[in-house]
């Protein structure tokens, strides 16, 4: 890892569905979901697996993917008689979790997810994560090869969203990595330009909300250091900023950080990733242990728009619980499913 980096690597995972028959399958599954508050548990271990239900829109309008890895693994475990593990993974499967849009076929992916969400009158939660020089050569290195390649990728992603409802978390790490010195200076001006263009193109869509990533409460401090980067990246056009993506800082600490930052940005709203912050960050450890697959962590507050805070638009599960931060502490590649970790997160949840 880079020096004293206290952010995160997430990884991007290429969506497995998005075109042709695959989209039709997604829509069929989504269309079979009900509007009950949670999926009804099977009556017996050998009962047919059930798809997760959509949650009430008044509490959380985001789409629950019935084909998520957590959902499929829960069904498989239940069929095999491992009901305890199946129940644990159901805690993840029942919640709306962000879809990370990959390099291949961004138009097909965004269209597939937004169409599936629209079929059950829900909002697709998407993460666009393909900025050039992504993650400074660390676990989630990669991204578009240059600015024009990124623009083309973004245009396709936006075309796939179209006039359907979507909430987009834009480029995790991109701004904090410039502020903490991880991204070399020669890439800064282009990155600001690309992010500002991205915000403008996405906000030109009729039903898309955009939140620029702004790190977390322990990364770029004090909070006023993030104000100018956000302004240069087009925060004035965006709906707000996102905090704690793929990290473990407490909701309260992120609220305090977000309120300070909002005051410097004309009262901009923000969202908080609560997917893995139920036990807060790992204390008494070096920086790498604190962000990369730390042990003893837990699922945090379930996604909701009822935050009780006028500036916090939503608690979201942006990082997909159970997917690795990288090849540390025995984990697989960044973004790959790690069931042992998923079970631990669910088991420790309050």
């Amino acid at each position: 890892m880079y020096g004293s980096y206290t952010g995160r690597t997430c990884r991007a995972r290429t969506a497995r569905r998005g075109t042709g028959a695959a989209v039709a399958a997604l829509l069929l599954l989504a269309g079979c979901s009900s509007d009950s508050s949670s999926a009804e548990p099977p009556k017996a271990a050998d009962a047919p697996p059930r798809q997760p239900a959509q949650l009430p829109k008044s509490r959380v309008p985001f789409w629950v993917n019935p084909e998520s890895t957590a959902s499929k693994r829960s069904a498989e475990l239940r069929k095999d008689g491992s009901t305890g593990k199946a129940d644990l993974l159901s805690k993840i499967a029942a919640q709306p979790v962000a879809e990370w849009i990959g390099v291949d076929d961004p138009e097909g992916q965004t269209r597939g997810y937004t169409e599936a969400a629209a079929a059950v009158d829900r909002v697709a939660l998407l993460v666009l994560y393909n900025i050039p020089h992504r993650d400074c050569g660390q676990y989630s290195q990669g991204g578009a090869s240059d600015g024009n390649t990124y623009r083309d990728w973004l245009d396709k992603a936006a075309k796939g969203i179209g006039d359907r409802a979507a909430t987009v978390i834009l480029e995790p790490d991109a701004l904090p990595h410039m502020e903490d010195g991880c991204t070399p200076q020669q890439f800064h001006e282009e990155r600001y330009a690309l992010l500002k263009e991205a915000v403008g193109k996405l906000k030109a869509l009729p039903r898309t909300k955009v939140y620029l990533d702004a790190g977390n409460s322990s990364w770029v401090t004090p909070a006023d250091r993030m104000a100018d980067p956000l302004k240069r990246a087009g925060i004035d056009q965006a709906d707000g900023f996102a905090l704690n993506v793929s990290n473990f800082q407490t909701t309260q600490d992120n609220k305090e950080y977000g309120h300070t930052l909002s005051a410097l940005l004309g009262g901009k709203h923000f969202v908080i990733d609560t997917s893995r912050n139920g036990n807060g960050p790992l204390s008494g450890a070096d920086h790498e242990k604190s962000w990369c697959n730390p042990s003893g962590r837990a699922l945090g507050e379930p996604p909701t728009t009822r935050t009780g805070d006028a500036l916090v638009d939503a608690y979201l599960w942006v990082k997909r619980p159970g997917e690795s931060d990288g090849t540390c502490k025995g984990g697989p590649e960044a973004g790959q499913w790690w069931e042992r970790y998923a079970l631990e997160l669910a088991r420790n949840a309050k």
Side-chain angles (χ1 to χ4, degrees), residues 7 11 15 17 20 44 49 55 81 88 103 111 127 131 155 209-210 253 256 265-266 285 294 305 334 341:
R11 77 287 153 163
R17 293 167 178 77
L55 301 173
L88 287 173
V103 175
R111 178 176 289 111
V127 181
I131 202 78
D155 286 344
K209 291 185 176 182
V210 180
D253 284 350
E256 293 174 6
L265 299 171
T305 53
Y341 202 74

Side-chain angles (χ1 to χ4, degrees), residues 132-133 144-154 190 194 197:
H133 318 292
S145 58
D146 55 42
N148 287 333
T149 301
Y150 182 78
R151 291 181 178 96
D152 180 64
W153 177 85
L154 178 75
E190 179 187 56
L194 291 175
E197 289 177 36

Side-chain angles (χ1 to χ4, degrees), residues 62 101 110-111 113-115 117 122-128 154-170 197-212 234-240 268 313:
F62 304 105
I101 303 306
T110 56
R111 178 176 289 111
Y113 291 130
T114 55
E115 285 182 350
R122 294 298 188 275
V123 178
L125 179 59
L126 308 174
V127 181
L128 298 188
L154 178 75
D155 286 344
K156 291 175 180 176
K159 184 178 180 181
I161 295 171
D163 61 0
R164 290 173 292 278
T167 291
V168 175
I169 308 301
L170 185 59
E197 289 177 36
V199 173
K201 288 178 179 179
L202 292 167
K203 285 305 300 175
L205 302 175
R207 300 177 65 197
T208 296
K209 291 185 176 182
V210 180
Y211 294 88
L212 273 163
I235 191 67
D236 59 321
Q237 300 178 72
D239 293 273
K268 278 291 181 180
D313 287 345

Side-chain angles (χ1 to χ4, degrees), residues 42-233:
K43 299 183 186 306
D46 59 352
R50 297 176 183 271
Q51 298 298 337
Q54 301 303 317
L55 301 173
K57 285 183 66 177
S58 59
R59 179 161 60 86
V60 54
F62 304 105
W63 176 61
V64 179
N65 185 349
E67 283 283 275
S68 70
T69 301
S71 179
K72 290 189 289 186
R73 284 295 299 144
S74 178
E76 290 166 358
L77 288 166
R78 195 174 303 283
K79 183 178 180 180
D80 292 340
S82 299
T83 56
K85 290 182 178 180
D87 288 344
L88 287 173
L89 292 188
S90 291
K91 293 183 180 182
I92 298 172
Q95 299 299 332
V97 181
E99 304 292 348
W100 293 67
I101 303 306
V103 175
D104 298 327
D105 194 19
E107 182 179 343
Q109 290 175 42
T110 56
R111 178 176 289 111
Y113 291 130
T114 55
E115 285 182 350
V120 288
D121 193 26
R122 294 298 188 275
V123 178
L125 179 59
L126 308 174
V127 181
L128 298 188
Y129 183 58
N130 194 37
I131 202 78
H133 318 292
R134 189 183 70 197
D135 205 35
C136 318
Q138 299 171 106
Y139 288 129
S140 294
Q141 62 185 288
S145 58
D146 55 42
N148 287 333
T149 301
Y150 182 78
R151 291 181 178 96
D152 180 64
W153 177 85
L154 178 75
D155 286 344
K156 291 175 180 176
K159 184 178 180 181
I161 295 171
D163 61 0
R164 290 173 292 278
T167 291
V168 175
I169 308 301
L170 185 59
E171 295 299 340
D173 302 342
L175 288 173
H177 269 165
M178 290 196 290
E179 187 61 26
D180 73 2
C182 185
T183 301
Q185 183 68 39
Q186 64 262 34
F187 303 135
H188 287 200
E189 290 304 316
E190 179 187 56
R191 180 167 291 185
Y192 282 127
L194 291 175
L195 290 171
K196 191 167 186 176
E197 289 177 36
V199 173
K201 288 178 179 179
L202 292 167
K203 285 305 300 175
L205 302 175
R207 300 177 65 197
T208 296
K209 291 185 176 182
V210 180
Y211 294 88
L212 273 163
D213 183 74
N216 61 65
S217 58
S218 73
W219 190 351
V220 178
T221 57
D224 57 9
R225 288 176 55 198
M226 279 303 304
D228 186 61
L230 284 165
K231 291 176 181 177
R232 296 183 65 183

Side-chain angles (χ1 to χ4, degrees), residues 87-95 97 248 251 273-280 296-303 317 319-323 341-350:
D87 288 344
L88 287 173
L89 292 188
S90 291
K91 293 183 180 182
I92 298 172
Q95 299 299 332
V97 181
F248 304 87
T251 300
D273 184 356
T274 59
S275 59
R276 305 186 300 175
N277 73 348
N279 283 341
R297 302 310 92 201
L299 300 174
E301 292 100 331
W317 284 10
K319 170 68 177 181
R320 302 171 65 83
E323 291 183 1
Y341 202 74
L343 291 168
E344 181 182 11
L345 290 170
R347 189 177 294 115
N348 292 341
K350 298 178 176 64

